[in-house]
């Protein structure tokens, strides 16, 4: 059995994809927290935050959400490239590796919605 017939290759690629999925979720969540932090400070101490600081919080938060979204889409693309190089016999019977990629794309689409929500608020 060659190294490509070993199902551990597929499962290693999937673990890598899921690690990138967690990273993209963390980046989006961090961006949301950064964006909302200015609102929190404004409620707790209205005289302590300037409009420029509030704008900076929005821009940094949006940047992290965008980075997380980009991470989700690019990791799905990379995983799909790996899947395309595997032969049918390298994927266990009844196993659907496309589900993981689809889940990651869904996370990316939700990131796009979050980005739009924060931008339009």
């Amino acid at each position: 059995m060659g190294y490509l017939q070993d199902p551990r290759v597929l499962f290693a690629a999937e673990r890598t994809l899921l690690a990138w999925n967690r990273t993209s979720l963390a980046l989006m969540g961090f961006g949301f927290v950064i964006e909302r932090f200015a609102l929190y400070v404004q409620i707790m101490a209205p005289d302590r935050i300037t409009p420029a600081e509030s704008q900076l919080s929005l821009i940094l938060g949006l940047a992290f959400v965008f980075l997380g979204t980009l991470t989700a889409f690019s990791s799905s693309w990379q995983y799909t490239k790996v899947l395309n190089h595997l032969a049918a016999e390298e994927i266990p019977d009844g196993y659907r590796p496309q589900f993981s990629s689809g889940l990651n794309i869904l996370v990316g689409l939700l990131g796009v919605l979050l980005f739009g929500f924060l931008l339009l608020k």
Side-chain angles (χ1 to χ4, degrees):
M1 170 167 65
Y3 78 95
L4 286 179
Q5 283 88 14
D6 191 349
R8 291 181 294 182
V9 173
L10 170 66
F11 297 137
E14 192 167 71
R15 280 191 306 273
T16 302
L17 172 73
L18 295 175
W20 279 112
N21 183 285
R22 288 188 300 271
T23 302
S24 67
L25 285 170
L27 286 168
M28 286 183 231
F30 189 56
F32 183 80
V33 169
I34 289 173
E35 196 279 331
R36 293 298 166 158
F37 185 71
L39 179 63
Y40 172 75
V41 172
Q42 188 175 21
I43 290 171
M44 297 305 286
D47 55 330
R48 299 275 324 247
I49 190 163
T50 65
E53 291 170 334
S54 181
Q55 190 69 17
L56 179 63
S57 176
L58 172 68
I59 291 169
L60 285 175
L62 286 174
F64 273 100
V65 170
F66 179 76
L67 184 61
T69 302
L70 186 65
T71 301
F73 286 130
S74 64
S75 61
S76 288
W77 180 67
Q78 288 287 346
Y79 180 70
T80 302
K81 283 178 60 173
V82 170
L83 285 182
N84 290 338
H85 284 87
L86 297 178
E89 60 270 0
E90 297 172 276
I91 299 172
D93 291 334
Y95 192 74
R96 303 286 177 247
Q98 296 82 4
F99 177 76
S100 300
S101 184
L103 178 65
N104 223 26
I105 290 171
L106 179 63
V107 167
L109 291 174
L110 291 173
V112 169
L113 289 175
L114 179 61
F115 185 86
F117 170 76
L118 294 176
L119 190 61
L120 297 176
K121 67 143 184 95

